[in-house]
Amino acid sequence: MTDHLSALPPPSDAGLVVLVTGASRGIGRGIACAFAAQGATVAVCGRNAASISAVVDEVVTTGGAAFPICADVSIPADVDRMVRSVVERCGRLDVLVNNAGVYLTAPVVEMSDEDWDLTIAIDLKGVFLCSRAAARQMIEQRSGRIVNISSIAQFRGGTPGHAHYGAAKGGVGAFSKTLAKELGPSGITVNCVAPGLIEDTDMGATSKDLMGQSYLATIPLGCLGKVQDVVDAVLFLSSNRARYITGETLNVNGGSHMV
Ligand SMILES: NC(=O)c1ccc[n+]([C@@H]2O[C@H](COP(=O)([O-])OP(=O)(O)OC[C@H]3O[C@@H](n4cnc5c(N)ncnc54)[C@H](OP(=O)(O)O)[C@@H]3O)[C@@H](O)[C@H]2O)c1
């Protein structure tokens, strides 16, 4: 029987082409800079032209290769244009990191239809749209890695005020398993990274304010996470070291939730 394992270009090869959504700040920015530091060419996606250009400038100043793509992951035409422009520019797409996300707060009985729809549109449908567009290219290449940033909420549900967020992240976990089954025969892996509270981002700061100090006592490793903790998990799942891992979720939460 023929296996479907595929190898990406080695990490030292500048040919690795990586697309990171939500790369204007926070975890996405960290992932984009880390791939660039390893010699990849990185497409930096976000909605705000000035902030994604600032990340690109930072990468280029330190000798890396990156370019900006202004796109909203919840808009199908934006997503298709985004992936098309990566392939037109670089000839391929090796790694997609679906990182873009929003974290709105409202208890269900006070939640507006708009807040529900926006969260699902960005945090869940955005993952579908970007994965679909990227997978079409990766199937042609017969190789690729898709890494979806979910959340501890994938397993626990959102904290009070975040039912929409928990529903979206749970959906990302289930979606990723089906996609892994569909793309495995083409040599493409699909995995999730599920962070706990990552304190050094805008979203993490909001979450920290809402959770309070008592949350710390529930974390066996005794501290909140940092962007670098998520970056390391993404780099591993995107590498050839993870070539036989697909449909999996790597928890990065200091032990606060064990699956
Ligand atoms: N921080 C945490 O504690 C934590 C924990 C678990 C999971 N996560 C997940 O990790 C990911 C990153 O979180 P973070 O803490 O880095 O958040 P963040 O600091 O708020 O950054 C969110 C990023 O997503 C982008 N974004 C939002 N909506 C977008 C859209 N429609 N299209 C394109 N980009 C969009 C933002 O870009 P612009 O607004 O500039 O467009 C920004 O770059 C999210 O998926 C989040 O759910 C975070």
Side-chain angles (χ1 to χ4, degrees):
M1 189 177 156
T2 316
D3 70 51
H4 303 300
L5 299 175
S6 70
L8 294 172
S12 58
D13 184 339
L16 200 66
V17 178
V18 179
L19 169 58
V20 184
T21 70
S24 64
R25 51 196 160 91
I27 293 170
R29 176 185 158 280
I31 294 167
C33 292
F35 270 114
Q38 288 197 343
T41 298
V42 184
V44 176
C45 157
R47 293 171 298 184
N48 183 298
S51 38
I52 52 174
S53 293
V55 174
V56 169
D57 288 348
E58 186 184 337
V59 167
V60 172
T61 306
T62 52
F67 59 94
I69 303 184
C70 213
D72 183 326
V73 299
S74 68
I75 300 175
D78 268 24
V79 170
D80 291 343
R81 174 181 50 77
M82 172 176 77
V83 172
R84 206 170 43 245
S85 67
V86 173
V87 175
E88 278 170 8
R89 184 176 178 130
C90 304
R92 55 189 293 118
L93 173 58
D94 297 305
V95 180
L96 166 68
V97 183
N98 281 310
N99 166 80
V102 289
Y103 186 66
L104 309 176
T105 303
V108 171
V109 292
E110 292 167 20
M111 191 179 288
S112 66
D113 293 6
E114 289 74 20
D115 274 11
W116 174 270
D117 288 345
L118 184 70
T119 301
I120 299 298
I122 296 174
D123 293 8
L124 179 56
K125 188 176 178 188
V127 174
F128 154 66
L129 291 173
C130 295
S131 299
R132 181 178 65 181
R136 287 173 176 159
Q137 171 62 26
M138 290 174 176
I139 286 169
E140 277 185 33
Q141 299 167 190
R142 297 200 64 76
S143 73
R145 301 277 188 267
I146 296 176
V147 181
N148 298 324
I149 309 300
S150 63
S151 164
I152 193 170
Q154 175 184 337
F155 303 102
R156 286 185 166 180
T159 49
H162 304 103
H164 40 9
Y165 182 78
K169 295 298 189 179
V172 167
F175 169 77
S176 302
K177 287 182 182 172
T178 303
L179 192 62
K181 292 171 197 166
E182 292 181 0
L183 298 184
S186 297
I188 301 159
T189 67
V190 183
N191 293 290
C192 294
V193 173
L197 206 168
I198 303 302
E199 63 179 336
D200 49 345
T201 76
D202 295 340
M203 191 185 292
T206 304
S207 184
K208 196 172 164 182
D209 285 348
L210 293 169
M211 303 279 274
Q213 280 301 317
S214 59
Y215 179 62
L216 256 188
T218 69
I219 305 175
L221 287 178
C223 59
L224 299 173
K226 301 279 191 201
V227 166
Q228 190 61 46
D229 298 314
V230 182
V231 167
D232 288 338
V234 172
L235 292 180
F236 167 65
L237 288 173
S238 305
S239 75
N240 288 329
R241 290 201 170 92
R243 67 174 201 157
Y244 197 52
I245 300 174
T246 197
E248 193 52 76
T249 296
L250 187 47
N251 286 287
V252 180
N253 61 32
S256 54
H257 184 80
M258 300 178 190
V259 181

